Amino acid sequence: MLRRINYFSKLKSDLKNFNSLSFKDEKLELLKSKKKNIKKEYYNNIAKLTNKPCKLSLFYSIFSKDNEEINNLKNSYKVEKANIQNDLDEYKKSFEYHKQRNLKFRSIKDLLRGFNSFFFAFLIVALLVWIIVYIFATGSGKLTLDKIFGNYKTETYSLKTENNFALSDNLDFSDLDLSSPNVSKKWGVEFKLLSVNDKSYVAISKVSENSPFNYLVNINNDEAFDRGFEGLYISSMSVMDSNNYLNIIVGQTTVENFITELDKGVEIVDSTFLGEGGGFRGSLLNTLALIGLSLVFAFPLGVGAAIYLGVYAKETKVTSIIRSLIDMISGVPSIIFGLAGALIFIPVASLIPGTNGGNLLSGALTMTMILLPTIVKTVEESIKVIPKSLTQASLALGASKTETVFKVVLPNSLPGILTSLLLSIGRIIGESAALVFAMGTTIAEYANMNGSNATLAVHIWVILGGDHPAYDNACAIAIIIIIIVLILTLLIKLIAFKMNKFKVR
Amino acid sequence: MNNENNKDEVVFDVKNVNLFYDNGAKQALKDINMKIYKNKVTAFIGPSGCGKSTLLRCFDRMNELVDNSYRDGIITYNGEDIKDINSIYLRTRVGMVFQQPNPFPMSIKDNIFYGPRCQGVKDKKILNEILDESLKGAALYDEVKDILNKSALGLSGGQQQRLCIARTLAMSPDVILMDEPTSALDPIATLKIEELINELKKKYTIIIVTHNMQQAARISDYTAFFMLGELVEFNKTEEFFSHPQDKRSEDYITGRFG
């Protein structure tokens, strides 16, 4: 930072002292001073002749036309002046003069350019840093392992005590801290407050070994509840007291209130436990599945086409048309691919029995279309820069053309292939517009082929779409995306480094 | 040409060869007739663009890789028209060394193994025999025997060129074509390659294209002088340089042009 400040102050002082810098054109200065000297001398001479002060001598000389001496002086001055002027004009026309002048302008230009490039680079870096800091600051609070690997849908459990339940008074709850106000001494349960969507609910933090809460059953089918209370909070609880009055307790209250109300009851008739939900696991798995499936389709096709264009194809009109088509496709907005995917690939994907509408397959096929131009162009470029001498050497050693492609051309175009892989993965992770149409926007719990499911990017699109955009959750997903891309980039750099060990660096 | 040459065995016989580029717009070779003799070094000399490299590439059919070119006339290899020989098989019999050292970006070992592996040799014992033999044949063995698994691109220019020769020897060819093999090398490396060529000619037939007339005089047994696609003169090297038959060759040798 200090260096930057120094740079700024240097720029400033440079601009300030600009005229005093060493851009003096010595010859020009010499000629100019000569001209001035001649003029001065002329005035002095006239002043001497007329005995008048120097300043008035000029006027005087105009009125005394007849004075021969003055006329002589005038004429000689004119000749000298013309000579000097001539020299000056000639010098101004000369290359040397232009060089000197240009030096001045060039240094101004260079200063401006240097300032420009530095300033814009700084602006861009600042913008990037701001975005990343904003994302991390907003999203990191929401980013927990529960969130990443948790369900998206809210879990709901309706529980009651067993049939023919009778609460006994002398149960041993000594494994709990009975002096704490958060413990119900009657039921043997420790409660806490859980904050969900900025509201606090009562939740169960610990259940005693002998607590009747261990034997709660599902209200619909009387099956035992064995999930545990981890991550669940209480929405409401209906408790029957000893006088057979039903008391409904709302979960959105303080722990003390809740325990007071609960301890009045002897039987839990109905209780609703909710899980938080809003996890990204399904979208994360779908994104990874889409990356895999899309690359399975796009990569062999793209590399094959690149080999054809780069090695086998002769330069004809057909290949030039193919090339310009590829260029054109890479400029088409992705939403149009989404449209094409919806029209062409969803019917294809629906042929899988048990599926309906867009699914992972239609999404992957659409992504293949989007990725192909990038892969073909990147790999073809890297094939084209391989020295012809290498392929010729291979052919001269009795290798066939196919062997040459697989043993010389492909290994040497590996950097390009890996680059295209990286670009493709980035594109798949970031794509949302096309997938909204071609794959659907339903946020699934696991990767599946059955129907519409969202990737991480589409997940962001979905949760930002409603009346209450969840910016913090979106930022949490953005952090996951950034981390995935970072890991993949490092991985591919590592592979490229390992594979390149025979290249001399 | 001369009767005394006939005792040498003919490897390549070139008859009435014309070669055209750009769909016939440019004629690179004009009615070439010559013979290449077994276990001799034949040097092709001439000014740039005279067709000597083009003719060299005809011998292993590398000229066919150039788009829009065609050749007529007959070139026979040991009495058989090379157009009837499978080009891949022909290139295993007729090796080629290029102007710029062009080892593959692999280890030194893999560079040597490249050709044999393409021919389906997988036995490590045979491969190692080939490795030793070809490296010794190219006078490179002592310099690289400890760094066989290192990158070939780490070698010096002269070593790389000898590696390329070794790579060619690994195919156990019959003829070695050399396209200005020393033009990218310094005098010491050049000297080494020239010594190597003198060794190699005991076992192989060598055709070398060179811009350096001293080199041609030093190492070759026969010299062919080309100009503007024509074969001006083809003779034993001694006679060619001492008594050039053609005025143009005399001018070229004495440095009056070219």
Side-chain angles (χ1 to χ4, degrees):
Chain A
M1 205 59 207
L2 203 67
R3 265 180 60 202
R4 299 284 177 238
I5 293 166
N6 284 341
Y7 181 76
F8 259 127
S9 58
K10 193 172 164 286
L11 267 183
K12 226 164 135 188
S13 67
D14 276 4
L15 282 169
K16 201 185 271 178
N17 304 333
F18 184 69
N19 283 327
S20 62
L21 287 177
S22 58
F23 297 119
K24 268 186 188 157
D25 187 346
E26 283 178 15
K27 185 144 190 208
L28 193 71
E29 299 289 318
L30 196 75
L31 285 171
K32 275 184 179 169
S33 69
K34 232 182 201 173
K35 198 176 163 187
K36 223 182 250 174
N37 285 341
I38 290 167
K39 204 173 179 181
K40 215 172 175 183
E41 208 176 314
Y42 170 62
Y43 287 161
N44 283 338
N45 284 341
I46 287 185
K48 257 182 213 166
L49 271 175
T50 53
N51 285 329
K52 290 282 184 307
C54 205
K55 279 175 189 170
L56 291 176
S57 60
L58 190 66
F59 296 105
Y60 192 80
S61 69
I62 294 166
F63 297 120
S64 56
K65 279 179 190 166
D66 302 334
N67 192 327
E68 205 171 292
E69 282 182 64
I70 288 178
N71 277 342
N72 280 344
L73 266 177
K74 223 187 232 172
N75 287 337
S76 66
Y77 169 64
K78 266 183 190 166
V79 171
E80 276 181 59
K81 195 181 161 190
N83 279 340
I84 279 284
Q85 193 60 43
N86 202 17
D87 282 1
L88 252 173
D89 288 350
E90 230 160 66
Y91 179 66
K92 278 189 178 174
K93 278 180 206 158
S94 72
F95 186 38
E96 200 58 35
Y97 172 73
H98 282 280
K99 272 198 253 175
Q100 296 276 1
R101 254 170 67 93
N102 199 15
L103 207 61
K104 231 173 191 175
F105 287 117
R106 260 159 69 188
S107 55
I108 294 176
K109 270 189 204 164
D110 286 355
L111 272 177
L112 285 176
R113 279 176 192 156
F115 182 78
N116 265 7
S117 49
F118 169 69
F119 180 71
F120 287 120
F122 176 77
L123 214 64
I124 289 165
V125 170
L127 200 67
L128 277 176
V129 167
W130 180 73
I131 291 172
I132 288 177
V133 165
Y134 175 80
I135 286 175
F136 272 81
T138 323
S140 57
K142 284 282 171 183
L143 194 69
T144 56
L145 279 180
D146 287 345
K147 215 54 181 194
I148 298 175
F149 299 111
N151 286 327
Y152 176 70
K153 285 201 187 83
T154 312
E155 291 174 88
T156 314
Y157 299 101
S158 297
L159 305 176
K160 63 172 187 178
T161 42
E162 306 165 90
N163 294 336
N164 309 323
F165 172 77
L167 185 63
S168 59
D169 286 334
N170 49 2
L171 289 171
D172 177 24
F173 300 139
S174 57
D175 51 343
L176 291 178
D177 177 17
L178 289 171
S179 61
S180 159
N182 294 341
V183 174
S184 160
K185 292 171 192 84
K186 202 168 170 188
W187 293 89
V189 180
E190 188 178 339
F191 293 95
K192 65 175 179 187
L193 277 182
L194 192 72
S195 162
V196 179
N197 298 332
D198 303 330
K199 290 167 192 161
S200 57
Y201 290 88
V202 174
I204 292 172
S205 69
K206 200 175 173 191
V207 180
S208 167
E209 269 179 35
N210 303 319
S211 167
F213 269 63
N214 290 326
Y215 310 109
L216 294 182
V217 293
N218 197 315
I219 202 162
N220 295 322
N221 47 15
D222 289 347
E223 276 174 14
F225 175 71
D226 48 9
R227 182 198 177 278
F229 295 100
E230 187 68 33
L232 297 182
Y233 61 91
I234 296 163
S235 168
S236 68
M237 201 175 258
S238 311
V239 184
M240 189 85 84
D241 66 10
S242 47
N243 304 327
N244 274 10
Y245 283 118
L246 202 62
N247 188 13
I248 297 174
I249 319 167
V250 185
Q252 199 178 332
T253 174
T254 61
V255 173
E256 284 82 2
N257 277 347
F258 190 85
I259 290 174
T260 335
E261 294 292 321
L262 182 66
D263 283 357
K264 286 178 190 163
V266 292
E267 186 188 346
I268 296 171
V269 180
D270 182 11
S271 64
T272 309
F273 286 84
L274 298 177
E276 193 178 354
F280 317 131
R281 190 218 309 119
S283 307
L284 184 63
L285 291 177
N286 262 317
T287 309
L288 297 179
L290 185 69
I291 290 173
L293 202 59
S294 307
L295 289 181
V296 163
F297 291 130
F299 213 63
L301 279 174
V303 174
I307 290 173
Y308 170 73
L309 285 176
V311 180
Y312 290 99
K314 287 178 181 172
E315 288 299 321
T316 59
K317 269 187 182 168
V318 180
T319 51
S320 74
I321 288 172
I322 290 176
R323 281 203 181 86
S324 38
L325 277 179
I326 289 171
D327 285 348
M328 200 193 72
I329 289 174
S330 59
V332 172
S334 58
I335 197 152
I336 293 180
F337 283 106
L339 204 65
L343 292 175
I344 301 166
F345 293 128
I346 286 185
V348 172
S350 301
L351 294 179
I352 300 176
T355 62
N356 184 24
N359 60 14
L360 209 53
L361 183 64
S362 62
L365 290 173
T366 311
M367 281 319 294
T368 304
M369 249 165 57
I370 299 176
L371 298 179
L372 271 179
T374 325
I375 297 177
V376 172
K377 285 209 77 169
T378 323
V379 177
E380 195 201 339
E381 291 301 318
S382 69
I383 283 177
K384 286 227 161 134
V385 296
I386 295 170
K388 262 206 161 143
S389 64
L390 281 187
T391 49
Q392 287 205 347
S394 168
L395 290 171
L397 282 172
S400 68
K401 207 158 184 180
T402 323
E403 282 166 336
T404 306
V405 167
F406 279 91
K407 288 185 172 179
V408 173
V409 174
L410 279 186
N412 280 296
S413 57
L414 197 81
I417 292 174
L418 288 176
T419 309
S420 74
L421 197 65
L422 196 64
L423 288 174
S424 310
I425 292 173
R427 190 79 199 259
I428 297 169
I429 292 178
E431 188 56 67
S432 60
L435 294 177
V436 165
F437 291 116
M439 198 163 134
T441 56
T442 313
I443 297 166
E445 299 294 351
Y446 292 96
N448 63 72
M449 290 293 283
N450 301 334
S452 158
N453 37 28
T455 64
L456 285 174
V458 178
H459 193 137
I460 292 181
W461 183 82
V462 170
I463 61 177
L464 287 186
D467 289 338
H468 305 288
Y471 287 112
D472 42 2
N473 276 335
C475 283
I477 297 177
I479 294 174
I480 299 177
I481 290 177
I482 289 172
I483 290 171
I484 291 177
V485 172
L486 192 73
I487 291 171
L488 287 172
T489 313
L490 291 178
L491 207 69
I492 281 171
K493 285 259 155 80
L494 192 76
I495 294 172
F497 180 77
K498 291 264 175 194
M499 297 284 233
N500 256 4
K501 63 182 174 187
F502 289 124
K503 289 251 168 76
V504 172
R505 277 177 286 270
Chain B
M1 294 236 167
N2 300 342
N3 285 336
E4 55 185 330
N5 288 345
N6 292 344
K7 70 191 174 203
D8 290 328
E9 199 181 329
V10 176
V11 179
F12 281 112
D13 194 356
V14 183
K15 286 174 197 156
N16 307 326
V17 165
N18 290 290
L19 193 140
F20 303 89
Y21 286 133
D22 298 338
N23 290 325
K26 192 185 157 210
Q27 187 167 5
L29 292 176
K30 292 172 191 162
D31 200 30
I32 308 287
N33 284 290
M34 69 187 298
K35 289 185 171 69
I36 307 291
Y37 298 103
K38 197 173 173 87
N39 290 5
K40 298 283 180 222
V41 178
T42 309
F44 289 1
I45 62 171
S48 295
C50 66
K52 52 194 190 308
S53 289
T54 307
L55 181 62
L56 192 78
R57 275 153 190 272
C58 288
F59 290 125
D60 65 348
R61 291 176 63 182
M62 291 288 277
N63 65 310
E64 291 168 15
L65 300 175
V66 181
D67 289 345
N68 304 328
S69 73
Y70 71 93
R71 169 176 76 78
D72 58 16
I74 295 169
I75 300 177
T76 59
Y77 170 64
N78 291 339
E80 196 179 350
D81 189 344
I82 60 169
K83 280 196 172 166
D84 299 335
I85 307 175
N86 183 326
S87 66
I88 290 175
Y89 176 70
L90 181 71
R91 284 170 199 160
T92 65
R93 307 296 303 140
V94 182
M96 190 159 190
V97 178
F98 294 85
Q99 187 172 2
Q100 293 285 337
N102 54 356
F104 300 121
M106 309 169 182
S107 67
I108 294 171
K109 218 177 187 174
D110 287 340
N111 262 285
I112 305 283
F113 288 168
Y114 185 88
R117 272 183 184 154
C118 282
Q119 303 306 318
V121 180
K122 279 173 188 157
D123 191 346
K124 281 224 162 135
K125 213 174 150 193
I126 301 177
L127 283 175
N128 282 331
E129 267 172 32
I130 292 175
L131 179 71
D132 285 2
E133 229 166 77
S134 50
L135 282 179
K136 277 172 189 160
L140 193 63
Y141 185 77
D142 294 332
E143 289 162 61
V144 301
K145 65 182 174 194
D146 300 324
I147 50 166
L148 288 173
N149 287 318
K150 290 264 171 66
S151 169
L153 299 180
L155 298 174
S156 73
Q159 285 173 328
Q160 285 187 13
Q161 193 62 294
R162 272 180 288 150
L163 179 65
C164 291
I165 294 174
R167 194 171 66 180
T168 311
L169 298 185
M171 301 300 297
S172 58
D174 193 23
V175 184
I176 301 174
L177 311 175
M178 295 186 176
D179 191 354
E180 299 179 40
T182 60
S183 66
L185 304 180
D186 65 273
I188 296 166
T190 304
L191 191 69
K192 278 193 175 167
I193 300 267
E194 284 180 12
E195 282 170 2
L196 181 62
I197 289 171
N198 268 330
E199 280 298 308
L200 289 176
K201 77 174 178 186
K202 292 171 192 163
K203 281 167 86 177
Y204 308 97
T205 308
I206 293 172
I207 309 174
I208 179 167
V209 168
T210 177
H211 269 300
N212 188 335
M213 275 180 288
Q214 281 79 24
Q215 189 176 53
R218 276 198 300 270
I219 60 176
S220 68
D221 303 310
Y222 291 89
T223 301
F225 173 61
F226 291 84
M227 238 183 92
L228 302 171
E230 283 176 66
L231 176 60
V232 177
E233 194 171 342
F234 177 54
N235 212 335
K236 285 203 162 179
T237 302
E238 280 170 37
E239 283 183 39
F240 177 82
F241 281 101
S242 48
H243 310 291
Q245 308 286 314
D246 198 290
K247 179 80 172 57
R248 288 172 290 179
S249 358
E250 194 182 338
D251 286 351
Y252 188 71
I253 295 164
T254 49
R256 242 166 269 165
F257 86 98

